[in-house]
Amino acid sequence: MTMNVPRPEVLRYTAFSSSPDGGNPAGVVLDATGLDDDGMLAVAAELGYSESAFLTAPPEGLGGREGRAYRIRYFSPRAEVPFCGHATVATAVALAERIGPGELVFATRAGTVPVEVTEEGGTVRATLTSVEPRIEEIAEADLAEALAALGWPAADLDPAFPPRIAFAGARHLVLAAATRARLADLAYDFARLETLMHRLDLTTVQLVWRESATVFHVRDPFPVGGVVEDPATGAAAAAFGAYVREVGLVPEDAVLTLHQGEDLGRPGELTVTLRAGDPRVRVGGAGARIG
């Protein structure tokens, strides 16, 4: 933190739940002008949430209405990450409570992310639009190492979902469990999975189970951020939306519901919207202030 600059106000919001007890909590600093990189990391480490978001003035040429465009950076307790969906939603909800619902524009390390904020019946919802996604295959040896670190036999995977690495602002390995019980039984080798994820530049591992054509349950180990599991993961949800469309598991136009956090006692719900002709993915959910 810059010398002689007062500590900024640190807010706490949850994303993908209208209850403070659900979803994924994030730290939000609406004016991080007085913080350098070490200062932002220190705030994130002190909070201990999977990520915290820090706003500063927008870069030149970002666009958006005056007062509704910002540069945003995200820090886990260990390091900066290029993009974080739940902290974006949390920040958008925090801003909406101060400047009203409407359109926001954020400049992230991954690219420009517009967000639409609405309010209905006292519930504030934010929907982000991802950067353009991409999907890539994973080497057999790397997949075997991921399964070994998770303690998942290959036979426990759903054969309808080919393992892939998906990106929509950050990289995530997508693995689908054949049963809800397999998804619920998560006890992995933290150090082993962290080592693999660093090597593959992964932010989380997106573990999924398909309940129906458009409803999924998901979990996200996040050892590279110093967190065993992320309770609700917007960046991974965006990557997953791109993945299921790419491999033909859903139509080009689709609205998906992702349930996350139930196994952690912090239930949340993420809405993933795919539109024909637009490769980007929209991820939305409610948010609420904590405390």
Side-chain angles (χ1 to χ4, degrees):
M1 189 181 303
T2 305
M3 295 297 293
N4 301 321
V5 175
R7 177 185 173 90
E9 182 181 18
V10 180
L11 306 173
R12 295 164 174 81
Y13 276 77
T14 195
F16 303 118
S17 173
S18 59
S19 167
D21 297 325
N24 195 354
V28 177
V29 178
L30 295 180
D31 183 3
T33 306
L35 292 175
D36 58 15
D37 290 10
D38 290 340
M40 294 183 197
L41 183 61
V43 170
E46 181 180 331
L47 286 172
Y49 295 148
S50 55
E51 279 103 359
S52 294
F54 301 84
L55 296 186
T56 53
E60 187 175 351
L62 176 62
R65 289 172 49 196
E66 185 176 354
R68 302 190 71 91
Y70 302 86
R71 185 188 301 277
I72 187 168
R73 297 175 67 185
Y74 313 95
F75 285 79
S76 80
R78 287 189 179 179
E80 186 173 8
V81 297
F83 176 65
C84 173
H86 87 271
T88 301
V89 168
T91 300
V93 171
L95 283 169
E97 291 183 351
R98 287 152 182 80
I99 62 176
E103 295 181 359
L104 299 164
V105 181
F106 294 120
T108 80
R109 276 179 50 195
T112 301
V113 175
V115 181
E116 177 71 24
V117 188
T118 61
E119 182 177 3
E120 184 174 350
T123 298
V124 181
R125 292 181 59 88
T127 300
L128 65 88
T129 299
S130 77
V131 298
E132 188 163 336
R134 59 181 182 265
I135 312 299
E136 63 187 71
E137 295 192 3
I138 181 171
E140 286 296 326
D142 292 333
L143 174 59
E145 178 62 12
L147 293 175
L150 289 168
W152 284 24
D156 284 357
L157 295 177
D158 186 335
F161 289 74
R164 294 287 188 273
I165 293 172
F167 169 91
R171 287 163 56 86
H172 306 266
L173 172 60
V174 180
L175 299 174
T179 65
R180 182 66 178 90
R182 171 71 279 174
L183 185 68
D185 184 15
L186 182 62
Y188 68 92
D189 186 325
F190 188 97
R192 188 172 182 178
L193 188 60
E194 179 184 16
T195 297
L196 175 68
M197 291 174 68
H198 277 301
R199 181 163 60 78
L200 299 179
D201 190 28
L202 300 176
T203 298
T204 75
V205 178
Q206 173 86 331
L207 305 174
V208 308
W209 173 72
R210 189 173 197 168
E211 178 182 314
S212 69
T214 60
V215 178
F216 299 83
H217 295 254
V218 302
R219 302 184 73 174
D220 282 84
F222 186 34
V224 295
V227 177
V228 173
E229 183 177 351
D230 208 15
T233 320
F240 178 70
Y243 158 85
V244 289
R245 178 173 55 192
E246 173 76 14
V247 298
L249 291 165
V250 299
E252 289 190 11
D253 268 313
V255 178
L256 314 177
T257 300
L258 274 57
H259 296 287
Q260 190 171 359
E262 294 175 350
D263 298 291
L264 292 174
R266 293 194 63 90
E269 183 175 296
L270 301 84
T271 302
V272 175
T273 303
L274 306 173
R275 296 181 181 174
D278 187 348
R280 300 172 302 170
V281 180
R282 289 157 178 82
V283 178
R289 186 162 184 172
I290 300 172

PDB file of all heavy atoms in Angstrom, residues 87-127:
ATOM      1  N   ALA A  87     -16.569 -12.592  -8.273  1.00  0.00           N
ATOM      2  CA  ALA A  87     -16.177 -11.279  -7.768  1.00  0.00           C
ATOM      3  C   ALA A  87     -16.684 -10.163  -8.677  1.00  0.00           C
ATOM      4  O   ALA A  87     -16.953  -9.044  -8.215  1.00  0.00           O
ATOM      5  CB  ALA A  87     -14.657 -11.209  -7.619  1.00  0.00           C
ATOM      6  N   THR A  88     -16.820 -10.445  -9.983  1.00  0.00           N
ATOM      7  CA  THR A  88     -17.411  -9.473 -10.901  1.00  0.00           C
ATOM      8  C   THR A  88     -18.878  -9.240 -10.559  1.00  0.00           C
ATOM      9  O   THR A  88     -19.347  -8.096 -10.493  1.00  0.00           O
ATOM     10  CB  THR A  88     -17.281  -9.964 -12.354  1.00  0.00           C
ATOM     11  OG1 THR A  88     -15.901 -10.152 -12.665  1.00  0.00           O
ATOM     12  CG2 THR A  88     -17.883  -8.974 -13.328  1.00  0.00           C
ATOM     13  N   VAL A  89     -19.617 -10.327 -10.333  1.00  0.00           N
ATOM     14  CA  VAL A  89     -21.029 -10.205  -9.950  1.00  0.00           C
ATOM     15  C   VAL A  89     -21.161  -9.480  -8.621  1.00  0.00           C
ATOM     16  O   VAL A  89     -21.993  -8.576  -8.465  1.00  0.00           O
ATOM     17  CB  VAL A  89     -21.688 -11.595  -9.906  1.00  0.00           C
ATOM     18  CG1 VAL A  89     -23.052 -11.541  -9.227  1.00  0.00           C
ATOM     19  CG2 VAL A  89     -21.818 -12.158 -11.317  1.00  0.00           C
ATOM     20  N   ALA A  90     -20.338  -9.844  -7.642  1.00  0.00           N
ATOM     21  CA  ALA A  90     -20.386  -9.189  -6.334  1.00  0.00           C
ATOM     22  C   ALA A  90     -20.114  -7.695  -6.458  1.00  0.00           C
ATOM     23  O   ALA A  90     -20.795  -6.857  -5.840  1.00  0.00           O
ATOM     24  CB  ALA A  90     -19.371  -9.841  -5.396  1.00  0.00           C
ATOM     25  N   THR A  91     -19.119  -7.342  -7.261  1.00  0.00           N
ATOM     26  CA  THR A  91     -18.776  -5.932  -7.456  1.00  0.00           C
ATOM     27  C   THR A  91     -19.905  -5.186  -8.145  1.00  0.00           C
ATOM     28  O   THR A  91     -20.242  -4.046  -7.778  1.00  0.00           O
ATOM     29  CB  THR A  91     -17.484  -5.817  -8.285  1.00  0.00           C
ATOM     30  OG1 THR A  91     -16.423  -6.482  -7.587  1.00  0.00           O
ATOM     31  CG2 THR A  91     -17.107  -4.362  -8.511  1.00  0.00           C
ATOM     32  N   ALA A  92     -20.515  -5.797  -9.154  1.00  0.00           N
ATOM     33  CA  ALA A  92     -21.614  -5.159  -9.872  1.00  0.00           C
ATOM     34  C   ALA A  92     -22.799  -4.907  -8.951  1.00  0.00           C
ATOM     35  O   ALA A  92     -23.456  -3.852  -9.025  1.00  0.00           O
ATOM     36  CB  ALA A  92     -22.033  -6.026 -11.055  1.00  0.00           C
ATOM     37  N   VAL A  93     -23.090  -5.860  -8.067  1.00  0.00           N
ATOM     38  CA  VAL A  93     -24.184  -5.680  -7.109  1.00  0.00           C
ATOM     39  C   VAL A  93     -23.845  -4.551  -6.138  1.00  0.00           C
ATOM     40  O   VAL A  93     -24.695  -3.696  -5.828  1.00  0.00           O
ATOM     41  CB  VAL A  93     -24.462  -6.996  -6.366  1.00  0.00           C
ATOM     42  CG1 VAL A  93     -25.437  -6.771  -5.217  1.00  0.00           C
ATOM     43  CG2 VAL A  93     -25.020  -8.046  -7.329  1.00  0.00           C
ATOM     44  N   ALA A  94     -22.606  -4.506  -5.665  1.00  0.00           N
ATOM     45  CA  ALA A  94     -22.188  -3.438  -4.758  1.00  0.00           C
ATOM     46  C   ALA A  94     -22.304  -2.071  -5.424  1.00  0.00           C
ATOM     47  O   ALA A  94     -22.773  -1.095  -4.818  1.00  0.00           O
ATOM     48  CB  ALA A  94     -20.749  -3.680  -4.301  1.00  0.00           C
ATOM     49  N   LEU A  95     -21.894  -1.980  -6.688  1.00  0.00           N
ATOM     50  CA  LEU A  95     -22.010  -0.720  -7.416  1.00  0.00           C
ATOM     51  C   LEU A  95     -23.473  -0.328  -7.620  1.00  0.00           C
ATOM     52  O   LEU A  95     -23.843   0.845  -7.472  1.00  0.00           O
ATOM     53  CB  LEU A  95     -21.311  -0.830  -8.765  1.00  0.00           C
ATOM     54  CG  LEU A  95     -19.782  -0.743  -8.756  1.00  0.00           C
ATOM     55  CD1 LEU A  95     -19.227  -1.135 -10.124  1.00  0.00           C
ATOM     56  CD2 LEU A  95     -19.318   0.664  -8.382  1.00  0.00           C
ATOM     57  N   ALA A  96     -24.307  -1.307  -7.957  1.00  0.00           N
ATOM     58  CA  ALA A  96     -25.717  -1.015  -8.219  1.00  0.00           C
ATOM     59  C   ALA A  96     -26.404  -0.443  -6.981  1.00  0.00           C
ATOM     60  O   ALA A  96     -27.298   0.404  -7.096  1.00  0.00           O
ATOM     61  CB  ALA A  96     -26.433  -2.274  -8.681  1.00  0.00           C
ATOM     62  N   GLU A  97     -25.992  -0.872  -5.815  1.00  0.00           N
ATOM     63  CA  GLU A  97     -26.586  -0.341  -4.591  1.00  0.00           C
ATOM     64  C   GLU A  97     -26.202   1.121  -4.366  1.00  0.00           C
ATOM     65  O   GLU A  97     -26.849   1.817  -3.583  1.00  0.00           O
ATOM     66  CB  GLU A  97     -26.167  -1.193  -3.402  1.00  0.00           C
ATOM     67  CG  GLU A  97     -26.788  -2.583  -3.419  1.00  0.00           C
ATOM     68  CD  GLU A  97     -26.445  -3.408  -2.201  1.00  0.00           C
ATOM     69  OE1 GLU A  97     -25.585  -2.978  -1.407  1.00  0.00           O
ATOM     70  OE2 GLU A  97     -27.037  -4.498  -2.042  1.00  0.00           O
ATOM     71  N   ARG A  98     -25.147   1.562  -5.047  1.00  0.00           N
ATOM     72  CA  ARG A  98     -24.681   2.943  -4.881  1.00  0.00           C
ATOM     73  C   ARG A  98     -25.049   3.839  -6.059  1.00  0.00           C
ATOM     74  O   ARG A  98     -25.377   5.013  -5.857  1.00  0.00           O
ATOM     75  CB  ARG A  98     -23.167   2.939  -4.660  1.00  0.00           C
ATOM     76  CG  ARG A  98     -22.809   2.425  -3.272  1.00  0.00           C
ATOM     77  CD  ARG A  98     -21.445   1.779  -3.210  1.00  0.00           C
ATOM     78  NE  ARG A  98     -21.186   1.276  -1.853  1.00  0.00           N
ATOM     79  CZ  ARG A  98     -21.677   0.125  -1.384  1.00  0.00           C
ATOM     80  NH1 ARG A  98     -22.433  -0.640  -2.138  1.00  0.00           N
ATOM     81  NH2 ARG A  98     -21.434  -0.245  -0.145  1.00  0.00           N
ATOM     82  N   ILE A  99     -25.018   3.308  -7.284  1.00  0.00           N
ATOM     83  CA  ILE A  99     -25.270   4.150  -8.462  1.00  0.00           C
ATOM     84  C   ILE A  99     -26.464   3.668  -9.286  1.00  0.00           C
ATOM     85  O   ILE A  99     -26.774   4.229 -10.323  1.00  0.00           O
ATOM     86  CB  ILE A  99     -24.015   4.240  -9.355  1.00  0.00           C
ATOM     87  CG1 ILE A  99     -23.626   2.853  -9.901  1.00  0.00           C
ATOM     88  CG2 ILE A  99     -22.858   4.860  -8.602  1.00  0.00           C
ATOM     89  CD1 ILE A  99     -22.451   2.891 -10.877  1.00  0.00           C
ATOM     90  N   GLY A 100     -27.136   2.618  -8.806  1.00  0.00           N
ATOM     91  CA  GLY A 100     -28.334   2.131  -9.468  1.00  0.00           C
ATOM     92  C   GLY A 100     -28.059   1.029 -10.472  1.00  0.00           C
ATOM     93  O   GLY A 100     -26.933   0.866 -10.940  1.00  0.00           O
ATOM     94  N   PRO A 101     -29.092   0.245 -10.793  1.00  0.00           N
ATOM     95  CA  PRO A 101     -28.947  -0.805 -11.802  1.00  0.00           C
ATOM     96  C   PRO A 101     -28.632  -0.210 -13.174  1.00  0.00           C
ATOM     97  O   PRO A 101     -28.725   0.993 -13.377  1.00  0.00           O
ATOM     98  CB  PRO A 101     -30.316  -1.502 -11.788  1.00  0.00           C
ATOM     99  CG  PRO A 101     -30.973  -1.068 -10.521  1.00  0.00           C
ATOM    100  CD  PRO A 101     -30.444   0.294 -10.221  1.00  0.00           C
ATOM    101  N   GLY A 102     -28.279  -1.092 -14.094  1.00  0.00           N
ATOM    102  CA  GLY A 102     -27.969  -0.658 -15.444  1.00  0.00           C
ATOM    103  C   GLY A 102     -26.726  -1.338 -15.964  1.00  0.00           C
ATOM    104  O   GLY A 102     -26.281  -2.354 -15.419  1.00  0.00           O
ATOM    105  N   GLU A 103     -26.155  -0.776 -17.003  1.00  0.00           N
ATOM    106  CA  GLU A 103     -25.004  -1.387 -17.648  1.00  0.00           C
ATOM    107  C   GLU A 103     -23.697  -0.891 -17.022  1.00  0.00           C
ATOM    108  O   GLU A 103     -23.543   0.291 -16.730  1.00  0.00           O
ATOM    109  CB  GLU A 103     -25.009  -1.071 -19.149  1.00  0.00           C
ATOM    110  CG  GLU A 103     -26.188  -1.690 -19.887  1.00  0.00           C
ATOM    111  CD  GLU A 103     -26.154  -1.394 -21.374  1.00  0.00           C
ATOM    112  OE1 GLU A 103     -25.222  -0.695 -21.823  1.00  0.00           O
ATOM    113  OE2 GLU A 103     -27.056  -1.870 -22.078  1.00  0.00           O
ATOM    114  N   LEU A 104     -22.761  -1.829 -16.861  1.00  0.00           N
ATOM    115  CA  LEU A 104     -21.415  -1.539 -16.390  1.00  0.00           C
ATOM    116  C   LEU A 104     -20.436  -2.136 -17.393  1.00  0.00           C
ATOM    117  O   LEU A 104     -20.767  -3.086 -18.104  1.00  0.00           O
ATOM    118  CB  LEU A 104     -21.165  -2.153 -15.007  1.00  0.00           C
ATOM    119  CG  LEU A 104     -22.059  -1.675 -13.860  1.00  0.00           C
ATOM    120  CD1 LEU A 104     -21.963  -2.640 -12.683  1.00  0.00           C
ATOM    121  CD2 LEU A 104     -21.656  -0.270 -13.422  1.00  0.00           C
ATOM    122  N   VAL A 105     -19.228  -1.593 -17.421  1.00  0.00           N
ATOM    123  CA  VAL A 105     -18.178  -2.153 -18.268  1.00  0.00           C
ATOM    124  C   VAL A 105     -16.911  -2.265 -17.435  1.00  0.00           C
ATOM    125  O   VAL A 105     -16.496  -1.287 -16.793  1.00  0.00           O
ATOM    126  CB  VAL A 105     -17.907  -1.284 -19.516  1.00  0.00           C
ATOM    127  CG1 VAL A 105     -16.820  -1.920 -20.376  1.00  0.00           C
ATOM    128  CG2 VAL A 105     -19.173  -1.109 -20.333  1.00  0.00           C
ATOM    129  N   PHE A 106     -16.296  -3.451 -17.453  1.00  0.00           N
ATOM    130  CA  PHE A 106     -15.070  -3.689 -16.697  1.00  0.00           C
ATOM    131  C   PHE A 106     -13.938  -4.067 -17.654  1.00  0.00           C
ATOM    132  O   PHE A 106     -14.108  -4.914 -18.545  1.00  0.00           O
ATOM    133  CB  PHE A 106     -15.255  -4.825 -15.687  1.00  0.00           C
ATOM    134  CG  PHE A 106     -16.222  -4.513 -14.587  1.00  0.00           C
ATOM    135  CD1 PHE A 106     -17.360  -5.287 -14.409  1.00  0.00           C
ATOM    136  CD2 PHE A 106     -15.994  -3.457 -13.732  1.00  0.00           C
ATOM    137  CE1 PHE A 106     -18.252  -5.012 -13.386  1.00  0.00           C
ATOM    138  CE2 PHE A 106     -16.889  -3.165 -12.699  1.00  0.00           C
ATOM    139  CZ  PHE A 106     -18.013  -3.942 -12.530  1.00  0.00           C
ATOM    140  N   ALA A 107     -12.797  -3.454 -17.451  1.00  0.00           N
ATOM    141  CA  ALA A 107     -11.582  -3.854 -18.149  1.00  0.00           C
ATOM    142  C   ALA A 107     -10.837  -4.841 -17.265  1.00  0.00           C
ATOM    143  O   ALA A 107     -10.366  -4.481 -16.183  1.00  0.00           O
ATOM    144  CB  ALA A 107     -10.701  -2.642 -18.439  1.00  0.00           C
ATOM    145  N   THR A 108     -10.760  -6.108 -17.690  1.00  0.00           N
ATOM    146  CA  THR A 108     -10.055  -7.148 -16.952  1.00  0.00           C
ATOM    147  C   THR A 108      -8.771  -7.509 -17.694  1.00  0.00           C
ATOM    148  O   THR A 108      -8.577  -7.145 -18.853  1.00  0.00           O
ATOM    149  CB  THR A 108     -10.919  -8.408 -16.801  1.00  0.00           C
ATOM    150  OG1 THR A 108     -10.876  -9.166 -18.022  1.00  0.00           O
ATOM    151  CG2 THR A 108     -12.370  -8.067 -16.479  1.00  0.00           C
ATOM    152  N   ARG A 109      -7.903  -8.248 -17.034  1.00  0.00           N
ATOM    153  CA  ARG A 109      -6.696  -8.726 -17.708  1.00  0.00           C
ATOM    154  C   ARG A 109      -7.040  -9.640 -18.877  1.00  0.00           C
ATOM    155  O   ARG A 109      -6.267  -9.758 -19.839  1.00  0.00           O
ATOM    156  CB  ARG A 109      -5.805  -9.474 -16.716  1.00  0.00           C
ATOM    157  CG  ARG A 109      -4.893  -8.600 -15.888  1.00  0.00           C
ATOM    158  CD  ARG A 109      -4.073  -9.414 -14.920  1.00  0.00           C
ATOM    159  NE  ARG A 109      -3.403 -10.553 -15.563  1.00  0.00           N
ATOM    160  CZ  ARG A 109      -2.876 -11.570 -14.903  1.00  0.00           C
ATOM    161  NH1 ARG A 109      -2.946 -11.629 -13.587  1.00  0.00           N
ATOM    162  NH2 ARG A 109      -2.277 -12.545 -15.557  1.00  0.00           N
ATOM    163  N   ALA A 110      -8.204 -10.281 -18.826  1.00  0.00           N
ATOM    164  CA  ALA A 110      -8.611 -11.195 -19.888  1.00  0.00           C
ATOM    165  C   ALA A 110      -9.301 -10.478 -21.041  1.00  0.00           C
ATOM    166  O   ALA A 110      -9.460 -11.063 -22.119  1.00  0.00           O
ATOM    167  CB  ALA A 110      -9.539 -12.270 -19.318  1.00  0.00           C
ATOM    168  N   GLY A 111      -9.717  -9.236 -20.841  1.00  0.00           N
ATOM    169  CA  GLY A 111     -10.433  -8.504 -21.870  1.00  0.00           C
ATOM    170  C   GLY A 111     -11.587  -7.705 -21.278  1.00  0.00           C
ATOM    171  O   GLY A 111     -11.761  -7.646 -20.054  1.00  0.00           O
ATOM    172  N   THR A 112     -12.386  -7.120 -22.138  1.00  0.00           N
ATOM    173  CA  THR A 112     -13.509  -6.289 -21.704  1.00  0.00           C
ATOM    174  C   THR A 112     -14.710  -7.160 -21.358  1.00  0.00           C
ATOM    175  O   THR A 112     -15.101  -8.035 -22.133  1.00  0.00           O
ATOM    176  CB  THR A 112     -13.900  -5.292 -22.807  1.00  0.00           C
ATOM    177  OG1 THR A 112     -12.768  -4.467 -23.097  1.00  0.00           O
ATOM    178  CG2 THR A 112     -15.064  -4.428 -22.374  1.00  0.00           C
ATOM    179  N   VAL A 113     -15.297  -6.905 -20.181  1.00  0.00           N
ATOM    180  CA  VAL A 113     -16.439  -7.690 -19.701  1.00  0.00           C
ATOM    181  C   VAL A 113     -17.589  -6.737 -19.360  1.00  0.00           C
ATOM    182  O   VAL A 113     -17.538  -6.033 -18.349  1.00  0.00           O
ATOM    183  CB  VAL A 113     -16.059  -8.524 -18.463  1.00  0.00           C
ATOM    184  CG1 VAL A 113     -17.283  -9.243 -17.902  1.00  0.00           C
ATOM    185  CG2 VAL A 113     -14.970  -9.528 -18.811  1.00  0.00           C
ATOM    186  N   PRO A 114     -18.621  -6.671 -20.194  1.00  0.00           N
ATOM    187  CA  PRO A 114     -19.811  -5.887 -19.838  1.00  0.00           C
ATOM    188  C   PRO A 114     -20.692  -6.654 -18.859  1.00  0.00           C
ATOM    189  O   PRO A 114     -20.734  -7.896 -18.868  1.00  0.00           O
ATOM    190  CB  PRO A 114     -20.521  -5.688 -21.178  1.00  0.00           C
ATOM    191  CG  PRO A 114     -19.998  -6.755 -22.078  1.00  0.00           C
ATOM    192  CD  PRO A 114     -18.693  -7.229 -21.538  1.00  0.00           C
ATOM    193  N   VAL A 115     -21.397  -5.910 -18.016  1.00  0.00           N
ATOM    194  CA  VAL A 115     -22.287  -6.506 -17.016  1.00  0.00           C
ATOM    195  C   VAL A 115     -23.593  -5.729 -17.012  1.00  0.00           C
ATOM    196  O   VAL A 115     -23.605  -4.494 -17.017  1.00  0.00           O
ATOM    197  CB  VAL A 115     -21.658  -6.475 -15.605  1.00  0.00           C
ATOM    198  CG1 VAL A 115     -22.600  -7.123 -14.589  1.00  0.00           C
ATOM    199  CG2 VAL A 115     -20.309  -7.164 -15.588  1.00  0.00           C
ATOM    200  N   GLU A 116     -24.695  -6.444 -16.993  1.00  0.00           N
ATOM    201  CA  GLU A 116     -26.027  -5.849 -16.894  1.00  0.00           C
ATOM    202  C   GLU A 116     -26.580  -6.154 -15.506  1.00  0.00           C
ATOM    203  O   GLU A 116     -26.625  -7.323 -15.095  1.00  0.00           O
ATOM    204  CB  GLU A 116     -26.957  -6.417 -17.961  1.00  0.00           C
ATOM    205  CG  GLU A 116     -28.388  -5.901 -17.889  1.00  0.00           C
ATOM    206  CD  GLU A 116     -28.519  -4.446 -18.318  1.00  0.00           C
ATOM    207  OE1 GLU A 116     -27.667  -3.952 -19.079  1.00  0.00           O
ATOM    208  OE2 GLU A 116     -29.492  -3.794 -17.877  1.00  0.00           O
ATOM    209  N   VAL A 117     -27.000  -5.105 -14.780  1.00  0.00           N
ATOM    210  CA  VAL A 117     -27.524  -5.274 -13.427  1.00  0.00           C
ATOM    211  C   VAL A 117     -28.995  -4.880 -13.412  1.00  0.00           C
ATOM    212  O   VAL A 117     -29.372  -3.814 -13.926  1.00  0.00           O
ATOM    213  CB  VAL A 117     -26.748  -4.425 -12.408  1.00  0.00           C
ATOM    214  CG1 VAL A 117     -27.196  -4.779 -10.980  1.00  0.00           C
ATOM    215  CG2 VAL A 117     -25.249  -4.642 -12.533  1.00  0.00           C
ATOM    216  N   THR A 118     -29.823  -5.737 -12.828  1.00  0.00           N
ATOM    217  CA  THR A 118     -31.250  -5.475 -12.701  1.00  0.00           C
ATOM    218  C   THR A 118     -31.677  -5.655 -11.255  1.00  0.00           C
ATOM    219  O   THR A 118     -30.979  -6.289 -10.455  1.00  0.00           O
ATOM    220  CB  THR A 118     -32.071  -6.414 -13.597  1.00  0.00           C
ATOM    221  OG1 THR A 118     -31.822  -7.777 -13.197  1.00  0.00           O
ATOM    222  CG2 THR A 118     -31.697  -6.248 -15.065  1.00  0.00           C
ATOM    223  N   GLU A 119     -32.830  -5.098 -10.922  1.00  0.00           N
ATOM    224  CA  GLU A 119     -33.403  -5.274  -9.588  1.00  0.00           C
ATOM    225  C   GLU A 119     -34.881  -5.560  -9.718  1.00  0.00           C
ATOM    226  O   GLU A 119     -35.597  -4.874 -10.458  1.00  0.00           O
ATOM    227  CB  GLU A 119     -33.188  -4.030  -8.726  1.00  0.00           C
ATOM    228  CG  GLU A 119     -33.729  -4.199  -7.308  1.00  0.00           C
ATOM    229  CD  GLU A 119     -33.463  -2.989  -6.427  1.00  0.00           C
ATOM    230  OE1 GLU A 119     -32.905  -1.993  -6.924  1.00  0.00           O
ATOM    231  OE2 GLU A 119     -33.836  -3.045  -5.240  1.00  0.00           O
ATOM    232  N   GLU A 120     -35.327  -6.591  -9.020  1.00  0.00           N
ATOM    233  CA  GLU A 120     -36.742  -6.937  -9.040  1.00  0.00           C
ATOM    234  C   GLU A 120     -37.117  -7.503  -7.688  1.00  0.00           C
ATOM    235  O   GLU A 120     -36.486  -8.446  -7.197  1.00  0.00           O
ATOM    236  CB  GLU A 120     -37.032  -7.963 -10.137  1.00  0.00           C
ATOM    237  CG  GLU A 120     -38.515  -8.308 -10.273  1.00  0.00           C
ATOM    238  CD  GLU A 120     -38.801  -9.210 -11.451  1.00  0.00           C
ATOM    239  OE1 GLU A 120     -37.901  -9.433 -12.288  1.00  0.00           O
ATOM    240  OE2 GLU A 120     -39.939  -9.706 -11.539  1.00  0.00           O
ATOM    241  N   GLY A 121     -38.116  -6.912  -7.070  1.00  0.00           N
ATOM    242  CA  GLY A 121     -38.583  -7.381  -5.778  1.00  0.00           C
ATOM    243  C   GLY A 121     -37.526  -7.316  -4.691  1.00  0.00           C
ATOM    244  O   GLY A 121     -37.533  -8.143  -3.773  1.00  0.00           O
ATOM    245  N   GLY A 122     -36.642  -6.362  -4.803  1.00  0.00           N
ATOM    246  CA  GLY A 122     -35.604  -6.202  -3.794  1.00  0.00           C
ATOM    247  C   GLY A 122     -34.378  -7.068  -4.009  1.00  0.00           C
ATOM    248  O   GLY A 122     -33.410  -6.967  -3.251  1.00  0.00           O
ATOM    249  N   THR A 123     -34.393  -7.918  -5.033  1.00  0.00           N
ATOM    250  CA  THR A 123     -33.244  -8.769  -5.342  1.00  0.00           C
ATOM    251  C   THR A 123     -32.467  -8.173  -6.498  1.00  0.00           C
ATOM    252  O   THR A 123     -33.040  -7.878  -7.550  1.00  0.00           O
ATOM    253  CB  THR A 123     -33.686 -10.199  -5.698  1.00  0.00           C
ATOM    254  OG1 THR A 123     -34.342 -10.787  -4.572  1.00  0.00           O
ATOM    255  CG2 THR A 123     -32.481 -11.060  -6.073  1.00  0.00           C
ATOM    256  N   VAL A 124     -31.175  -7.988  -6.300  1.00  0.00           N
ATOM    257  CA  VAL A 124     -30.307  -7.455  -7.345  1.00  0.00           C
ATOM    258  C   VAL A 124     -29.607  -8.620  -8.034  1.00  0.00           C
ATOM    259  O   VAL A 124     -29.056  -9.508  -7.381  1.00  0.00           O
ATOM    260  CB  VAL A 124     -29.260  -6.487  -6.756  1.00  0.00           C
ATOM    261  CG1 VAL A 124     -28.373  -5.924  -7.862  1.00  0.00           C
ATOM    262  CG2 VAL A 124     -29.954  -5.349  -6.012  1.00  0.00           C
ATOM    263  N   ARG A 125     -29.646  -8.614  -9.365  1.00  0.00           N
ATOM    264  CA  ARG A 125     -29.000  -9.643 -10.169  1.00  0.00           C
ATOM    265  C   ARG A 125     -28.040  -8.992 -11.156  1.00  0.00           C
ATOM    266  O   ARG A 125     -28.330  -7.929 -11.707  1.00  0.00           O
ATOM    267  CB  ARG A 125     -30.022 -10.481 -10.949  1.00  0.00           C
ATOM    268  CG  ARG A 125     -30.907 -11.361 -10.098  1.00  0.00           C
ATOM    269  CD  ARG A 125     -31.870 -12.159 -10.972  1.00  0.00           C
ATOM    270  NE  ARG A 125     -31.172 -12.999 -11.932  1.00  0.00           N
ATOM    271  CZ  ARG A 125     -30.757 -14.237 -11.679  1.00  0.00           C
ATOM    272  NH1 ARG A 125     -30.967 -14.774 -10.488  1.00  0.00           N
ATOM    273  NH2 ARG A 125     -30.128 -14.938 -12.603  1.00  0.00           N
ATOM    274  N   ALA A 126     -26.924  -9.656 -11.368  1.00  0.00           N
ATOM    275  CA  ALA A 126     -25.930  -9.171 -12.327  1.00  0.00           C
ATOM    276  C   ALA A 126     -25.618 -10.286 -13.316  1.00  0.00           C
ATOM    277  O   ALA A 126     -25.452 -11.447 -12.926  1.00  0.00           O
ATOM    278  CB  ALA A 126     -24.663  -8.726 -11.619  1.00  0.00           C
ATOM    279  N   THR A 127     -25.526  -9.918 -14.592  1.00  0.00           N
ATOM    280  CA  THR A 127     -25.196 -10.874 -15.641  1.00  0.00           C
ATOM    281  C   THR A 127     -24.011 -10.347 -16.428  1.00  0.00           C
ATOM    282  O   THR A 127     -24.077  -9.273 -17.028  1.00  0.00           O
ATOM    283  CB  THR A 127     -26.385 -11.097 -16.585  1.00  0.00           C
ATOM    284  OG1 THR A 127     -27.495 -11.609 -15.833  1.00  0.00           O
ATOM    285  CG2 THR A 127     -26.021 -12.077 -17.689  1.00  0.00           C
TER     286      THR A 127
END
